Amino acid sequence: MADAVIVVALVLVAGCATVAVAVRDPARQALVLAVLGVVLAVLFTAVQAPDVALSQLAVGGALTPLLLLLSVRKVKRRKGRER
Amino acid sequence: MTPRTRLLLVLVGGAGIAALLVAACLRLPDFGGDSHPYGDRAVAASLARQTANTIASVNFDQRAFDTLGEMTILFAAVVGCVVLLRQTRDEHRARPEPADVARPVRRYALIVLPVALVTGLYVIAHGQLSPGGGFQGGVVAATSLHLLYLGADYRALERIRPVGMYEVGDALSASAYLITGLAGLIGSAAFLANTLLPYGTFNTLSSGGTVPLLNAAVGMEVACAVVVLLARFLDQAVEIEEESGK
Amino acid sequence: MNSWLLAGTVVLGGGVGATLWGVATGPLRRRVVAQNLSTALACPGLLLLAQGYERPSYVDVALVLALLGPVGTLVFARLLTDELAADPPRAWGLTWAAAGLVAAVVLALCVAVGPSRELVKILLTGAILIGGNVVASHALSGGFAEVRGG
């Protein structure tokens, strides 16, 4: 019964990771990745690894979406100029 | 090599790895069991050196050499990014137009920026006491600066962010880690050995010998590295444009 | 398993599970709202876990999430302005419902913890989270009116 938190967190991570692979559009993928970061942090906290949870939040919270969306914007701008 | 043989090779290799993984999983200790041989030794070692957070002791004392490797990976990755994303001869910089940000968003960014910066520094400074450390706090502190881009515009961010200084800071803090490690050689100890400084009082900011120093060096390195990395990405996405006809 | 852990599991399983569904399906405007709500629901879950495990230092994880989660949503609001401008997401009901949940959890934890350094941290986390989520929601529904090239 005490492992219920871990089970819930594991199911959420598995579901979110599957969705992250299944989604094709990069912007939507970045959204799913942001949620995946939060869910992973919950899993790490549930298995008593708050240091790793903090690393995951720091990187997944704002940094990864920012890098991804900036890359998407650059590619789109180039496409817009070629048209 | 034909596609058929390649596929066969992948299948053979994959089957071998799968067999090894299954064999390793079968020998794993039970989930949540009470026998933790490595954990017990790591906790004993970190308590002997007055480090409250065993993870920090593992990262910056017992396995400090591994952390040096990880820091070097980040450093090399950022150097690679700086080289790849530089402004080439057929590109020019366009001034980004100022953004019109709603007032609550602007206010929020200006209030949260110092709070996030202080939180980042707090996470770095308390690395040897509570969860967190140089990497986590460094990323938080570096991210907080970019609230200026989100809440105002890119030119506001550029004013407080001389990229050259951060590049110098990145290199300096990476060498600070190395020099602290070399200092461990004084007194016939080993590279990165934690024998130089007194271990201090348990659960205080200055406890753990060289752990807080290495932690601070990593924190500064990560913060500078993230700022430089994001600066290159932002330059490419916002400012740099290719010459027309390209 | 104590009642704090049970409450945390319910918040995480029900709340974050629902936002996972929201972020996986539907139009873009629904997905950004779900991403914003995921931090608003995971953060009280983490606070409840910290109390359930009796580890005050775990509150740091929730504090960092409260700071960076809304910043992540601002990133999406800022860089997806064009995509969201035609059909801006408006989810004030859900946003305030999540804020109410956060306030209730923070209040319950404050009563349980009593006056201490942890209390200040929990209150700070709650305030930053509620403020951040409301502002992020505002930013999504047209907070970046005229962003061109910037």
Side-chain angles (χ1 to χ4, degrees):
Chain A
M1 190 58 199
D3 288 341
V5 189
I6 301 178
V7 172
V8 166
L10 268 176
V11 169
L12 284 176
V13 168
C16 200
T18 313
V19 172
V21 177
V23 172
R24 304 312 303 176
D25 175 43
R28 293 172 186 208
Q29 219 164 22
L31 279 163
V32 180
L33 272 182
V35 176
L36 178 64
V38 171
V39 177
L40 268 176
V42 169
L43 175 65
F44 292 141
T45 311
V47 293
Q48 314 287 312
D51 289 77
V52 192
L54 271 177
S55 301
Q56 178 58 47
L57 279 182
V59 174
L63 190 60
T64 316
L66 186 54
L67 287 180
L68 275 173
L69 289 183
L70 285 175
S71 312
V72 169
R73 168 174 277 211
K74 174 75 179 172
V75 172
K76 271 193 184 151
R77 252 180 29 161
R78 180 176 296 177
K79 270 190 190 153
R81 287 172 67 83
E82 275 170 7
R83 227 175 271 142
Chain B
M1 202 189 274
T2 62
R4 208 183 142 78
T5 25
R6 212 180 297 159
L7 187 69
L8 207 69
L9 205 65
V10 168
L11 283 179
V12 171
I17 291 177
L20 285 175
L21 273 177
V22 169
C25 279
L26 290 177
R27 295 283 305 276
L28 276 179
D30 284 342
F31 182 78
D34 9 300
S35 163
H36 305 290
Y38 184 83
D40 293 342
R41 287 174 178 82
V43 170
S46 77
L47 289 183
R49 291 182 170 175
Q50 313 285 348
T51 316
N53 183 9
T54 305
I55 311 295
S57 176
V58 170
N59 279 341
F60 300 111
D61 183 359
Q62 301 164 34
R63 292 270 178 275
F65 192 67
D66 296 25
T67 307
L68 176 65
E70 284 160 22
M71 195 185 67
T72 316
I73 292 172
L74 181 64
F75 188 74
V78 169
V79 170
C81 244
V82 168
V83 173
L84 277 177
L85 297 180
R86 72 194 184 283
Q87 185 179 357
T88 53
R89 207 172 298 158
D90 56 350
E91 290 171 337
H92 67 97
R93 276 175 192 257
R95 295 220 89 179
E97 285 169 49
D100 179 17
V101 182
R103 190 171 287 169
V105 180
R106 186 178 289 255
R107 269 200 209 127
Y108 165 82
L110 291 181
I111 292 171
V112 166
L113 195 159
V115 178
L117 193 59
V118 169
T119 307
L121 296 178
Y122 155 79
V123 171
I124 298 177
H126 287 244
Q128 69 275 22
L129 306 179
S130 60
F135 178 78
Q136 295 91 333
V139 178
V140 173
T143 310
S144 72
L145 290 186
H146 293 85
L147 270 167
L148 263 189
Y149 167 65
L150 296 173
D153 56 20
Y154 190 48
R155 277 149 74 184
L157 174 63
E158 277 181 322
R159 248 176 256 135
I160 63 144
R161 193 209 55 190
V163 183
M165 297 291 286
Y166 285 92
E167 285 170 350
V168 172
D170 196 8
L172 275 184
S173 42
S175 7
Y177 194 101
L178 265 178
I179 289 167
T180 316
L182 287 174
L185 290 170
I186 304 169
S188 75
F191 181 60
L192 281 169
N194 187 3
T195 49
L196 196 64
L197 296 174
Y199 296 135
T201 317
F202 186 74
N203 217 4
T204 53
L205 271 183
S206 58
S207 61
T210 51
V211 169
L213 290 184
L214 295 178
N215 188 25
V218 167
M220 190 173 156
E221 204 263 346
V222 170
C224 292
V226 170
V227 167
V228 172
L229 190 69
L230 275 175
R232 298 296 154 176
F233 270 76
L234 279 164
D235 275 353
Q236 283 288 341
V238 176
E239 279 197 341
I240 294 181
E241 280 181 354
E242 283 157 70
E243 296 290 345
S244 49
K246 280 272 172 183
Chain C
M1 183 165 187
N2 56 38
S3 49
W4 295 112
L5 283 184
L6 185 68
T9 313
V10 170
V11 169
L12 290 170
V16 181
T19 59
L20 179 56
W21 177 253
V23 89
T25 55
L28 191 65
R29 50 189 285 246
R30 189 176 130 190
R31 295 182 189 227
V32 285
V33 169
Q35 193 274 335
N36 189 22
L37 286 175
S38 75
T39 50
L41 292 168
C43 196
L46 285 171
L47 282 174
L48 287 168
L49 288 191
Q51 179 67 19
Y53 294 133
E54 293 171 21
R55 301 268 186 166
S57 58
Y58 284 21
V59 173
D60 284 0
V61 182
L63 175 63
V64 169
L65 176 61
L67 278 167
L68 292 187
V71 175
T73 310
L74 280 187
V75 168
F76 288 111
R78 173 78 195 242
L79 291 167
L80 297 176
T81 312
D82 299 340
E83 284 88 337
L84 292 171
D87 191 13
R90 288 182 204 286
W92 286 110
L94 282 172
T95 306
W96 286 113
L101 176 78
V102 174
V105 167
V106 167
L107 203 67
L109 286 172
C110 284
V111 172
V113 168
S116 63
R117 214 179 94 180
E118 198 196 346
L119 176 84
V120 179
K121 230 192 259 178
I122 292 177
L123 280 175
L124 184 69
T125 307
I128 293 173
L129 183 67
I130 293 177
N133 271 294
V134 171
V135 167
S137 202
H138 184 91
L140 285 176
S141 60
F144 296 103
E146 289 290 322
V147 184
R148 262 180 272 102

